[in-house]
Amino acid sequence: MQACGNGNRVAFEAVYRATSSRLFGICLHYSDDRAEAEEVLQEVYIMAWVKASGFDPRLGSAMTWLSTMARHKAIDRRRAHRNHDPLETIPEATSQDSLVDTLEREQQGSQLDRCLETLEEAQRRYIRVAFFEGYSYAELAERHGIALGTMKSWIRRGLLRLRVCLGL
């Protein structure tokens, strides 16, 4: 990756050959279809070429760096598509029961928001990132410079408090 950061295209080709199948698997895992995964993979390699000079091998391997970019890019892409679905795909309420179900789900969401607000700022932030954005405990711990066991404990205690608040 350091050679790629210096503009070495031969090195970049070697990186691509060594990593593309695994990264494509990651993209495919998080994407809805093959074409979407291919587009995500292309974006990952563009990002890698542009950001290669910032790669620091002391922080992790090139494969870990690329895998993390692929995972995040695929999740971001999926989230963006999910948030911009056309109105025609939203089901209409067809009966009184479905309207009641919809209102109950909205009420539960509001209750969850209220309960999240009772947590400490760090717990709330880590729980949201872990469960709503798909980050693993290990990724969060590494990203924020916190021991993995500490991260797991913080999130677990927060989840226990949420459970009590939600009456589960």
Side-chain angles (χ1 to χ4, degrees):
M1 288 309 303
Q2 291 173 323
C4 297
N6 294 327
N8 185 328
R9 292 175 188 260
V10 174
F12 190 72
E13 183 179 346
V15 168
Y16 176 83
R17 288 177 193 251
T19 61
S20 62
S21 62
R22 184 163 179 210
L23 294 180
F24 181 67
I26 292 169
C27 295
L28 194 57
H29 175 77
Y30 290 100
S31 298
D32 293 332
D33 62 34
R34 186 175 185 85
E36 185 76 19
E38 290 170 353
E39 286 185 33
V40 170
L41 184 64
Q42 181 179 359
E43 291 177 20
V44 169
Y45 280 110
I46 291 169
M47 281 178 31
W49 177 255
V50 170
K51 295 182 176 190
S53 62
F55 171 72
D56 186 351
R58 294 173 297 177
L59 299 177
S61 71
M63 189 65 208
T64 301
W65 185 66
L66 290 166
S67 297
T68 301
M69 281 197 301
R71 182 176 179 275
H72 290 210
K73 179 59 79 174
I75 289 171
D76 288 346
R77 184 84 169 244
R78 189 166 101 192
R79 191 177 304 122
H81 284 289
R82 192 178 324 140
N83 290 339
H84 294 98
D85 285 338
L87 290 176
E88 295 82 36
T89 63
I90 300 172
E92 291 185 30
T94 56
S95 70
Q96 187 66 20
D97 289 339
S98 64
L99 181 58
V100 170
D101 292 341
T102 302
L103 291 174
E104 284 178 0
R105 278 193 302 276
E106 287 179 12
Q107 183 179 14
Q108 288 169 348
S110 297
Q111 185 178 3
L112 176 60
D113 289 337
R114 283 191 301 275
C115 289
L116 279 168
E117 290 301 317
T118 67
L119 301 177
E120 297 172 20
E121 170 61 30
Q123 279 182 322
R124 179 173 51 247
R125 182 180 46 216
Y126 296 142
I127 288 173
R128 284 187 177 178
V129 171
F131 291 95
F132 300 140
E133 296 181 26
Y135 287 86
S136 70
Y137 296 148
E139 289 171 327
L140 284 171
E142 181 180 332
R143 187 177 181 191
H144 296 283
I146 298 170
L148 178 59
T150 302
M151 181 62 71
K152 286 180 177 179
S153 294
W154 282 353
I155 291 176
R156 185 173 188 282
R157 284 193 302 262
L159 291 174
L160 290 173
R161 286 182 57 194
L162 283 177
R163 176 181 252 177
V164 169
C165 182
L166 291 169
L168 302 175

